[in-house]
């Protein structure tokens, strides 16, 4: 529904903002010298944050008895430290 979509977008926005803040402060990011490396790193962080928010919405909807179509998350580097 549109309410669920809005909730997902707000949740994803919070996760992305938090993840980007952590990423920019991380030693992994600071050692990158080329802009294209930084861009790829941040894109992966964003993808991971979206995956996390999608997983949370999936759990919420499942708890309400709603069935949603599963999508396979993208495999990226281990950025779990950025998404505590």
């Amino acid at each position: 529904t549109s309410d669920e979509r809005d909730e997902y977008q707000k949740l994803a926005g919070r996760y992305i903002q938090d993840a980007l803040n952590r990423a920019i402060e991380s030693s992994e990011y600071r050692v990158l010298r080329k802009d294209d490396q930084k861009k790829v790193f941040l894109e992966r962080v964003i993808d991971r944050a979206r995956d996390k928010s999608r997983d949370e919405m999936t759990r919420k909807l499942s708890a309400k008895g709603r069935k949603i179509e599963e999508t396979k998350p993208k495999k990226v580097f281990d950025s779990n430290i950025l998404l505590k």
Side-chain angles (χ1 to χ4, degrees), residues 2 10 20 30 33 38-39 51 63 67 77-79 81 83-84:
S2 62
K10 288 176 186 175
L20 286 175
R30 283 184 270 147
R33 299 289 175 223
K38 290 179 180 182
K39 180 182 176 186
D51 289 346
K67 188 167 184 151
F77 72 102
D78 185 13
S79 60
I81 192 167
L83 298 169
K84 292 180 182 176

Side-chain angles (χ1 to χ4, degrees), residues 28-44:
E28 284 181 85
Y29 181 78
R30 283 184 270 147
V31 299
L32 299 174
R33 299 289 175 223
K34 295 182 179 181
D35 287 342
D36 58 331
Q37 291 173 326
K38 290 179 180 182
K39 180 182 176 186
V40 168
F41 179 84
L42 294 177
E43 286 172 349
R44 290 178 177 169

Side-chain angles (χ1 to χ4, degrees), residues 4-6 21 23 30 32-34 36 38-39 42 45-46 50 69 71:
E4 291 163 345
R5 185 175 32 258
D6 290 344
N21 288 337
R30 283 184 270 147
L32 299 174
R33 299 289 175 223
K34 295 182 179 181
D36 58 331
K38 290 179 180 182
K39 180 182 176 186
L42 294 177
V45 168
I46 291 168
R50 285 185 181 134
E69 185 178 321
T71 59

Side-chain angles (χ1 to χ4, degrees), residues 1 4 8 51 54-55 57-59 61-62 65-73:
T1 68
E4 291 163 345
Y8 166 77
D51 289 346
R54 185 199 63 238
D55 293 346
M57 281 300 295
T58 299
R59 283 190 299 275
L61 293 174
S62 293
R66 300 275 316 267
K67 188 167 184 151
I68 62 168
E69 185 178 321
E70 287 290 324
T71 59
K72 190 173 184 177

